[in-house]
Amino acid sequence: MIERMEHGITRLAPSPTGALHLGNARTFVVNWLLARQRGWRVLYRLEDLDTARTKPGSAEATESILRWLGLDWDDTQPRQSTRTEAYLEALSALRESSHVYPCICSRKDIALAASAPHVEDGVVCYPGTCRGRFATADEAQAQAGRLPAWRFDAGESSVPCFDQFAGEQTFYLPRIGGDFVVYRNENIPGYQLAVVVDDHAGGVNRIVRGDDLLDSTARQTLLRGALGYTEAVEYYHLPLVLDEEGNRLAKRRDDIRLEDLRASGVAPEAVLGVLAYWCGSQDAPEPMSLTEWLAKFDIETLPADPVNLTPSLLAKLAR
Ligand code: GLU
């Protein structure tokens, strides 16, 4: 029997907000390994909408590190800062179908209005202050004296999502922040909208990313439904890499930045060896080439729990 080819399309979607560290690198490499093993097409897309957090030179540095590790891609999507027209078009569709409403709340207003029961795990739930408040965007603008933001009216939605790692999940929107911003009041498209529009434009149907974005799948599923995008998407949210204290690796921490490791003479195989060890592809963090890892990689051996960056692993890299 001839095995059916998967028509998978995935994307590597870095944000140029700082230097790549071992944790981000692991996600990109696993994404690439899965794609190359399964014959998915790989797109590269720079997510550079958050200009306040963009670091000069970071886009180029990220690309050069990914290439240094041996990754490649089949096509490049336009960077998000050049796609305003497409995002505005999606916003008008959402406005027309009344899936979004103008919002003039500041962060402070939201924090004050959100009473204690809404605050879970540090998530501040939008209390719905502007839902149904303005008949038109002009009215909202006149009241605030600036452009309103646009929020998706998620109401009491419960969204089932299937993740290849986490399994079946159901997200109740009021628990994960409630109505979410699709366009910011600085007239900047929000992350959720931009990702959904770009994934659809590129035909992306395999999404691999860190599990800090797991609940974003619910928001993106709602948006996709509202925009009439019907293609099925498979999600893989990878458990994160944590530091010695159990915190997420921060981009500002400089002993784990790949650029610095490269500059100090560490070979890509040494880095890949640590990543492969974290993924259960080998029993010790010994150097490994990307080709060798590609032959060995098995998504089933990837631990379901976060992995730790220990001082001995760092020492191994510094050797
Ligand atoms: N650009 C995002 C990041 O660097 C990834 C977004 C996504 O994969 O949906 O974290």
Side-chain angles (χ1 to χ4, degrees):
M1 201 175 93
I2 301 168
E3 211 178 307
R4 196 173 63 85
M5 275 296 287
E6 278 191 59
H7 293 291
I9 304 182
T10 190
R11 71 319 195 258
L12 306 175
S15 303
T17 50
L20 272 194
H21 59 56
L22 290 163
N24 323 119
R26 189 185 67 145
T27 308
F28 287 119
V29 179
V30 169
N31 195 161
W32 183 90
L33 290 167
L34 267 177
R36 292 300 180 228
Q37 278 190 344
R38 300 181 178 194
W40 305 343
R41 197 171 157 70
V42 181
L43 310 180
Y44 186 82
R45 174 171 88 222
L46 193 68
E47 304 207 320
D48 60 345
L49 284 177
D50 195 348
T51 45
R53 288 178 58 225
T54 297
K55 303 268 182 313
S58 162
E60 295 72 19
T62 298
E63 186 171 335
S64 128
I65 287 292
L66 294 178
R67 299 247 185 232
W68 176 70
L69 289 171
L71 308 195
D72 60 0
W73 39 91
D74 306 305
D75 213 343
T76 303
Q77 285 193 287
R79 49 171 68 201
Q80 290 190 325
S81 56
T82 64
R83 297 261 300 146
T84 313
E85 217 172 296
Y87 307 139
L88 279 173
E89 206 175 291
L91 176 64
S92 344
L94 294 170
R95 285 176 62 171
E96 243 155 69
S97 56
S98 302
H99 280 100
V100 291
Y101 58 83
C103 170
I104 61 169
C105 296
S106 65
R107 264 174 219 268
K108 201 166 146 216
D109 295 335
I110 296 168
L112 286 175
S115 55
H118 298 285
V119 184
E120 275 186 36
D121 305 327
V123 177
V124 177
C125 184
Y126 181 66
T129 320
C130 290
R131 192 190 296 146
R133 182 173 172 195
F134 302 109
T136 63
D138 288 346
E139 199 182 309
Q141 185 169 353
Q143 178 147 340
R146 58 182 157 80
L147 281 173
W150 289 90
R151 274 185 196 271
F152 189 90
D153 188 350
E156 298 279 309
S157 312
S158 268
V159 185
C161 305
F162 186 78
D163 183 76
Q164 302 293 322
F165 260 94
E168 194 72 51
Q169 308 277 314
T170 300
F171 293 101
Y172 177 54
L173 264 289
R175 266 195 193 209
I176 58 166
D179 295 351
F180 55 92
V181 170
V182 298
Y183 236 87
R184 295 172 18 187
N185 52 17
E186 307 90 340
N187 213 15
I188 298 172
Y191 156 73
Q192 309 291 350
L193 183 71
V195 161
V196 161
V197 169
D198 286 348
D199 283 340
H200 177 70
V204 169
N205 53 16
R206 302 285 186 276
I207 294 183
V208 183
R209 56 189 178 193
D211 72 2
D212 50 331
L213 289 170
L214 183 60
D215 66 7
S216 281
T217 305
R219 291 180 271 271
Q220 292 170 16
T221 302
L222 286 173
L223 271 174
R224 283 160 29 81
L227 289 165
Y229 301 164
T230 53
E231 65 282 295
V233 179
E234 248 175 43
Y235 292 94
Y236 299 75
H237 286 88
L238 308 182
L240 295 176
V241 178
L242 305 179
D243 66 13
E244 304 86 312
E245 273 101 48
N247 299 315
R248 277 179 63 182
L249 297 186
K251 278 191 173 176
R252 60 182 179 282
R253 189 178 152 166
D254 58 9
D255 54 344
I256 51 166
R257 291 165 38 161
L258 269 72
E259 273 169 73
D260 294 338
L261 293 172
R262 176 175 63 177
S264 64
V266 173
E269 290 76 16
V271 172
L272 291 169
V274 170
L275 306 182
Y277 168 65
W278 276 335
C279 292
S281 305
Q282 59 177 349
D283 297 333
E286 295 307 327
M288 192 186 281
S289 74
L290 191 61
T291 321
E292 194 186 343
W293 192 9
L294 181 59
K296 281 196 177 146
F297 179 75
D298 178 0
I299 187 82
E300 299 293 328
T301 65
L302 216 132
D305 295 321
V307 292
N308 282 90
L309 177 65
T310 56
S312 67
L313 276 177
L314 272 179
K316 183 116 194 147
L317 279 176
R319 207 176 45 184

